[in-house]
Amino acid sequence: MKKLLFSLMAIIMTALGMSADTIPSDSLKSLLRYRQRITRMQERWQRLIPSYTKVQYAGNMGLISIGGGWSYGRNRQWETDLLLGFLPKYDSDAAKATLTLKQNFMPWKWHLSESFLIEPLACGLYINTVLHNDFWVRQPDRYTKGYYWFSTRIRTNIYIGQRITFKIPQHKRLFAKSVTAFYEISTCDYYILSHVGNSGYPLHELISLSFGVKLQIF
C-alpha cells in the first residue's frame, strides 16, 4: 500500500512540475499520512455496499421478502441479510410489511464443475418483526396481566437448508457473477414453545418451507 501511495504522489508531483526535493520531508510525510487515512476511510465505506441481492418466498417473514446482504469469511461461508417483506392482509384489515435480520452459515462447498457448486448445508437464525401497530413487544394494558406471555411483534427463527450455485461465465456477466437457488426449513420460538407445552399441537405446523434466489454481485 505504501509503495502504491508513493507512486501516486510521484505522479501528482510530476504532473505539477514538482520534485520530492522541493517539498520538505515533514510536509511529504504529512501528505502521505493524509492519503493513507483517506484510503482507509474509503475501504471502510466500501464494505457497507451489499455484495448480493436476495428474493425469498415464505419462511415466517412474509409472503415475499426482498433485500441484500454481505458475504464474508475466508471462504465466504458467512452471510448477513437485511430483508423487507410483504404480508398480504388475508383475514386481517390490511397488508403489512416485515423486516428481517438474518445470519447464515455454510460450512462446506462441493464443486461439481467449473460452473456449478453445491452447499450441502446452510443453517442460521433470523429475527423478524412486523411493522404494524397491531403487533407489540410488551402486552398492552387492555389485556389481563399475563394473558399474552410472548411478543407478537418479534419472532426468532432457526433454519437449515441447501443451495446450488451457477457461476456465470465472465464474458456473459451483466449484473451478477453467480446465481444461487436455495430452500430452507425453518421454525420459530413461538411454534417450538407451543409444541412443547401442548402435545396436541400439530407437528406439521411446527415448520415452514421457503424458497429463494440470490444474485452475487461481487
Side-chain angles (χ1 to χ4, degrees), residues 16-216:
L16 296 175
M18 304 168 62
S19 67
D21 296 334
T22 63
I23 302 178
S25 59
D26 291 343
S27 298
L28 187 60
K29 291 179 180 178
S30 177
L31 187 56
L32 179 59
R33 287 195 296 268
Y34 166 75
R35 292 306 309 171
Q36 290 175 332
R37 285 195 295 270
I38 293 299
T39 301
R40 287 195 297 267
M41 289 175 61
Q42 291 174 336
E43 291 175 348
R44 289 167 184 166
W45 279 108
Q46 288 175 352
R47 293 193 189 105
L48 298 178
I49 301 174
S51 55
Y52 59 83
T53 59
K54 183 178 288 188
V55 179
Q56 186 162 348
Y57 169 78
N60 296 323
M61 61 178 73
L63 180 65
I64 291 289
S65 296
I66 302 174
W70 300 264
S71 302
Y72 49 94
R74 178 177 297 180
N75 298 310
R76 295 294 183 100
Q77 73 272 32
W78 292 98
E79 289 180 356
T80 300
D81 301 343
L82 186 61
L83 306 170
L84 183 65
F86 170 74
L87 185 64
K89 64 178 184 178
Y90 296 121
D91 296 330
S92 61
D93 296 331
K96 302 172 182 64
T98 67
L99 184 65
T100 302
L101 179 63
K102 187 177 180 185
Q103 184 66 43
N104 312 300
F105 177 58
M106 293 73 61
W108 305 295
K109 298 179 188 292
W110 295 348
H111 292 268
L112 302 178
S113 65
E114 292 185 358
S115 299
F116 286 94
L117 68 86
I118 288 179
E119 291 163 311
L121 175 63
C123 58
L125 58 87
Y126 52 98
I127 298 174
N128 170 264
T129 183
V130 181
L131 305 177
H132 197 276
N133 292 332
D134 287 347
F135 297 82
W136 33 263
V137 177
R138 294 184 178 181
Q139 176 183 292
D141 295 335
R142 65 178 180 270
Y143 296 107
T144 304
K145 185 177 181 180
Y147 185 81
Y148 283 102
W149 49 271
F150 58 89
S151 167
T152 62
R153 181 181 288 271
I154 299 175
R155 294 269 70 83
T156 302
N157 304 260
I158 58 174
Y159 82 89
I160 59 172
Q162 293 180 318
R163 301 180 175 193
I164 183 168
T165 297
F166 170 68
K167 297 180 180 179
I168 301 173
Q170 291 189 7
H171 64 283
K172 293 184 178 181
R173 294 175 183 175
L174 294 176
F175 303 105
K177 61 185 294 187
S178 65
V179 180
T180 299
F182 63 89
Y183 78 88
E184 296 174 358
I185 299 173
S186 62
T187 189
C188 71
D189 50 1
Y190 174 70
Y191 293 163
I192 295 174
L193 292 173
S194 297
H195 179 71
V196 171
N198 182 6
S199 59
Y201 191 83
L203 186 59
H204 67 274
E205 294 186 7
L206 183 65
I207 61 175
S208 175
L209 178 63
S210 64
F211 303 91
V213 175
K214 184 187 76 168
L215 299 178
Q216 190 76 35

